[in-house]
Amino acid sequence: MSKTQNAPGGVRSKTVVDYLNDENVRAILYQIIAIGLVCLAGWYLVSNTLVNLERQNISTGYGFLDLEASFEISESMVQYSAQSSYATALLVGLLNTVKVSLLGIILCTIIGTIFGIARLSSNWIVRKLATVYVETFRNIPVLLQLFFWYAVIPNAFPHPRDAFEPLPGVLLTSRGMYMPVPVADNAYTLMGIAAIIAVVAIFFIKKWAKKRQDETGQPFPIFLVGTGIFVGLVFIAYLIGGAPTDMDMPELKGFNIRGGYNISPEFLAVLIGLTVYTSTYVAEVVRSGIQAVPHGQWEAADSLGIKRSVALRKVILPQSMRVAIPPLTNQYLNLTKNSSLAVAVGYPDLVSVSNTTMNQTGQAIEAISIFMSIYLGLSLLTSLFMNWFNKKMALVER
């Protein structure tokens, strides 16, 4: 017979078996074991990788970022040359990725909203055209669309010698679009500072206007006042800076166009491809969001004599956003991650620059870890912003 161990007070103390029979204890134990196995696997992979790298005389670390890159990048938003460091080259790739992703998100939102509303139109032709657009471009892989636009754009426009000029100073050629830009001047720095001051002022005025409306019920023309403040301050800064008018105009020199600002075919192909593809999903999100709003909201607006277009803008769309924001976040994340396909058409995004860096330095693990971390950071920032916006749009219970 087994002996039962009792505490001094006559209460039986728990044994190991008792703890193992406890569901909460077992759950914690399983988690500890799982974490331990993951750490063990990570240690094995890291140690094995370091041993293999040492065996092949490949150095590790991120010291290569300070070395000279020794390669050119066709498009750069910051000053860059082949003598710049690898860190600067990666910064150029990051900025190019952010540029195409941010513009793509803005454009796909606008286009997707238009086609999403058009899919619910009472006009048969408009509704069917919107359906064809959505169903066609949504079911073609985005990589193939990038190839398509990259093949179309250079062949759709003439050689630089025969450049098409739709507007004065704007040239369309097989090598991209060229447009005039202002020559660098201190006045534009003052205008930027004035714009920031105007945005801050508008923010506080908007808060005051909301408080005033809650207390008195009287609306305040924040849009008109904000526009006036922004335009007025920026224009005053422009005048104080001397009102410069010098422009850097694109012009044909030799076999190519020099001067102005160039939007390359690669950038256009990536931007159009990502925008068109993602806008089809955004259209479906907008359509489903509108249909999720109770039909009684339309009837209530009709009973008040509100036009359908005004009701859509003022009543239906604001309510549909509460349903549409979470899936919209997913589409914005997809667009940002799909921008990594830009390397396929030669656009110097983060992946393209990282691949060149990896091939020249042999630091494959470090280069991959850098752009993986950057894409993770961009995705987290997008999620944080959209979650904040979702909370702003949520109904507030009184």
Side-chain angles (χ1 to χ4, degrees), residues 141-285:
V142 61
L143 183 59
L144 295 182
Q145 294 192 42
L146 296 185
F147 287 144
F148 171 77
W149 292 112
Y150 187 57
V152 167
I153 292 174
N155 295 314
F157 299 106
H159 189 271
R161 287 182 176 272
D162 304 314
F164 174 59
E165 189 173 4
L167 296 172
V170 178
L171 305 178
L172 300 179
T173 74
S174 59
R175 297 179 184 177
M177 180 170 67
Y178 295 82
M179 59 182 65
V181 292
V183 176
D185 192 281
N186 291 331
Y188 302 118
T189 303
L190 293 176
M191 292 172 66
I193 296 173
I196 295 174
I197 295 174
V199 170
V200 174
I202 293 170
F203 173 78
F204 286 106
I205 292 175
K206 184 178 179 181
K207 291 188 67 176
W208 170 82
K210 185 178 184 303
K211 182 179 178 182
R212 174 177 177 267
Q213 184 173 358
D214 292 340
E215 294 176 351
T216 65
Q218 297 179 355
F220 185 80
I222 185 63
F223 178 78
L224 293 177
V225 173
T227 303
I229 292 174
F230 186 87
V231 174
L233 286 179
V234 171
F235 184 69
I236 291 172
Y238 175 72
L239 295 177
I240 294 174
T245 57
D246 294 336
M247 301 290 289
D248 182 14
M249 303 293 292
E251 55 183 354
L252 182 64
K253 291 184 178 179
F255 296 99
N256 203 357
I257 294 176
R258 306 294 179 185
Y261 181 76
N262 172 239
I263 301 178
S264 68
E266 292 81 10
F267 173 77
L268 287 174
V270 174
L271 180 62
I272 295 174
L274 292 178
T275 299
V276 170
Y277 179 75
T278 310
S279 67
T280 59
Y281 290 92
V282 173
E284 290 297 273
V285 170

Side-chain angles (χ1 to χ4, degrees), residues 320-346:
S320 69
M321 289 299 293
R322 300 185 181 104
V323 178
I325 288 175
L328 273 180
T329 303
N330 291 335
Q331 298 311 318
Y332 294 160
L333 293 175
N334 288 338
L335 187 147
T336 302
K337 290 180 284 190
N338 285 339
S339 68
S340 61
L341 298 173
V343 64
V345 296

Side-chain angles (χ1 to χ4, degrees), residues 297-319:
Q297 297 294 311
W298 285 106
E299 296 174 347
D302 290 338
S303 66
L304 293 173
I306 301 176
K307 294 182 179 179
R308 298 286 287 183
S309 59
V310 177
L312 177 66
R313 189 172 69 253
K314 297 284 189 178
V315 179
I316 304 302
L317 280 180
Q319 296 184 68

Side-chain angles (χ1 to χ4, degrees), residues 26 52 81 106 125 146 162 168 188 191 231 253 297 323 349 366-367 369 374 379 381 396:
R26 286 205 309 271
N52 289 333
S81 67
I106 295 172
I125 295 178
L146 296 185
D162 304 314
Y188 302 118
M191 292 172 66
V231 174
K253 291 184 178 179
Q297 297 294 311
V323 178
D349 72 324
E366 291 83 355
S369 67
I374 290 175
S379 297
L381 287 175
V396 179

